[in-house]
Amino acid sequence: MLEDHNPVFGKNVIETLSEGMYDNPLFLFREYVQNSADAIDDAEKCGILKNGEGEIIININGNDREISFEDNGTGISKDNVARMLANIGDSQKDRKLNKGFRGIGRLGGLGYCKKVRFETSAKYESTKTILEWDANLLHEILADKDEHISAGDLIKKITTIKYVPCDSFLHFFKVSMIGINDNNDELLDVDEVRKYLSMVAPVPFDYEKFMFKEEISKFLMENNIPEPQTYNLFLNKDQVYKGYESPLRIEGHKDVEILGVECRPIKLEDTVLGWYWFCVTSYEGVLPTKCWQRCMRLRKSNIQIGEADCISNHPKRGISLWREERGNNYFIGEVHALDDDLTPNSRRDYFNQDDACRQFESALTEEFAGLYELYRYASVLRNKNKAISSANQAEREFIDKDKTGGFYNNQDRITEKEKLDNLKAQVPAAQKTIDNIKKKSVGNSALSKIVEKFESEILPVPVQPNINIAGNQKQGRKEFVKDKLSKDGRRVLRKVFEVINSTSILDENQAKLLCDAIVKKFA
């Protein structure tokens, strides 16, 4: 036991707990929204608010370089402000019940502006308390290597408190970041902040943009899982909803069709550790980085943990959850952790590395193995469908050319027929593979949706006309382009074909397409 020394928490602790805590400045919005959500929960429990009356209001003023966060939760009484807002890491919140519980998140704003101002009042109290932190002075003291001061004395030096009258029926808490630093313009980008909040904050789905919310609610009810808590969150007066939409629109890319939504529990034996939902698509490849909604996102208390790729790319993750690191980038969805023992770490970028976390990871690994099979089967179906459709399309084109006399000569017809036969020879094996996957889809509704989608896209077999598709055309009949040309015309056309087929500018397919276009013109 250390008896002859009183440990001192130096000034650098404040720097570590503010700007040194997080990699992404937008975390500020998550931290302050998280605290507001807890205040609204408390107000509902105390009867100050009815369910659904709580509001979180964020305003971004780019001209004045200010950001404010305000909620109508319980607020803080005058006598408790100093203890709750000037102490560090002394939160009285229950880590199993509250979303924020360490008492350090409110310091985050100090690294990104000149002043952080807290204003609050509790119901039936006619006083508003204003506590202000001078971030500029903080950075001056931190930069002075000759200034040795404890964290407690530093807080006293950079904070001021005052009291002003207010309506006794008001109850609120407001944080203002004043004078956003010049190198933190991303905090003032309303569009980007809205995207961030729509994926991170505990907000409701937009029913007009995402039609599958009822499927998720039905799953939760059938499995006796409570609906995730949501809050009325407004950014510059516009309500923020989850960023999911159907179809999914990606800048510079074609829309992604959402075939449906799948919901599944995450279990360890008979214990439900969480649940997840994901969008079923054709899985044509990993979603591009411009798709800001991509990835299965980890959530606790309906607030995102870490960044979008936390589940697949966290450096401290205990085990590999996906068979392929890229696997998560095929999907859009959410993983909701329910286990009370799963505790977000201080940075809130993952869970504490303990037994509860390891058990959760193990259960997730089994679930993600099924998702790997899903996009792998989708790839196989796509290739086999392409083989069948290509054969059917080639037969359709062959019949059309035969019907209209579009072949140059009989040898041209024989060559095309051989290519068609090769394509058709692949159809039985392709169809067998499709049928096998179709059998595996029984009882797997996600795979069933994909099979149904691909089956509907197969180009049908053409109707066979009354022509001799198998054999050669009868000689002496004017049914080839060559027969319609003069001797000189045939000679010129032959030279043209020789040039086209010998040039290095065109590959084999391009050369054939050009020759076919010329033949079709003469036909």
Side-chain angles (χ1 to χ4, degrees), residues 443-460:
N444 185 333
S445 57
L447 185 55
S448 295
K449 290 183 176 75
I450 296 172
V451 170
E452 182 180 347
K453 169 65 175 175
F454 280 119
E455 282 189 328
S456 69
E457 294 180 345
I458 294 180
L459 190 68

Side-chain angles (χ1 to χ4, degrees), residues 103-331:
I104 58 177
R106 66 179 178 276
L107 300 180
L110 292 172
Y112 303 93
C113 61
K114 294 179 173 59
K115 291 183 180 180
V116 177
R117 179 183 299 149
F118 300 102
E119 302 172 65
T120 185
S121 182
K123 193 171 184 179
Y124 306 128
E125 187 173 70
S126 58
T127 300
K128 175 173 74 171
T129 304
I130 302 174
L131 180 69
E132 193 167 276
W133 294 60
D134 190 331
N136 271 352
L137 180 57
L138 167 65
H139 293 129
E140 288 177 9
I141 295 173
L142 290 176
D144 186 352
K145 63 181 181 180
D146 297 323
E147 176 73 78
H148 300 286
I149 186 173
S150 70
D153 288 339
L154 175 58
I155 290 174
K156 290 180 181 179
K157 197 167 187 177
I158 65 173
T159 57
T160 58
I161 191 169
K162 65 179 180 179
Y163 309 95
V164 297
C166 77
D167 191 324
S168 62
F169 286 97
L170 293 179
H171 47 94
F172 65 92
F173 187 87
K174 182 177 181 180
V175 183
S176 298
M177 294 175 59
I178 301 167
I180 299 297
N181 297 337
D182 291 339
N183 59 341
N184 291 123
D185 285 345
E186 65 269 43
L187 296 175
L188 301 172
D189 188 330
V190 177
D191 289 338
E192 288 302 312
V193 169
R194 181 176 298 279
K195 289 179 182 178
Y196 178 83
L197 289 170
S198 72
M199 303 307 296
V200 172
V203 293
F205 288 95
D206 187 337
Y207 283 82
E208 293 184 2
K209 292 184 177 180
F210 194 71
M211 64 185 74
F212 303 106
K213 171 61 176 70
E214 292 304 324
E215 295 181 30
I216 298 174
S217 294
K218 181 181 178 182
F219 161 81
L220 294 173
M221 183 177 65
E222 291 175 347
N223 288 270
N224 198 29
I225 297 174
E227 286 267 1
Q229 281 183 289
T230 61
Y231 299 83
N232 300 315
L233 172 61
F234 298 87
L235 174 61
N236 285 14
K237 299 184 179 180
D238 293 326
Q239 186 162 4
V240 177
Y241 295 95
K242 284 185 181 291
Y244 304 108
E245 58 183 1
S246 176
L248 181 65
R249 294 177 172 84
I250 306 173
E251 181 185 353
H253 298 264
K254 71 175 184 178
D255 292 352
V256 176
E257 180 183 4
I258 307 298
L259 305 178
V261 161
E262 288 291 308
C263 306
R264 297 171 183 173
I266 303 169
K267 290 185 175 182
L268 179 66
E269 297 178 348
D270 294 329
T271 303
V272 176
L273 302 179
W275 64 281
Y276 67 101
W277 68 266
F278 63 92
C279 292
V280 181
T281 71
S282 298
Y283 303 116
E284 295 186 14
V286 296
L287 294 166
T289 53
K290 282 190 176 181
C291 178
W292 48 274
Q293 303 97 328
R294 78 173 184 174
C295 290
M296 297 288 293
R297 294 160 180 258
L298 183 59
R299 303 178 82 84
K300 182 74 185 288
S301 301
N302 202 22
I303 297 177
Q304 183 173 298
I305 301 289
E307 299 293 341
D309 61 352
C310 170
I311 291 179
S312 54
N313 199 34
H314 192 276
K316 294 183 180 178
R317 196 180 63 246
I319 58 177
S320 178
L321 306 183
W322 297 84
R323 291 191 184 180
E324 299 178 317
E325 287 299 321
R326 64 175 183 165
N328 196 11
N329 294 333
Y330 279 89
F331 292 93

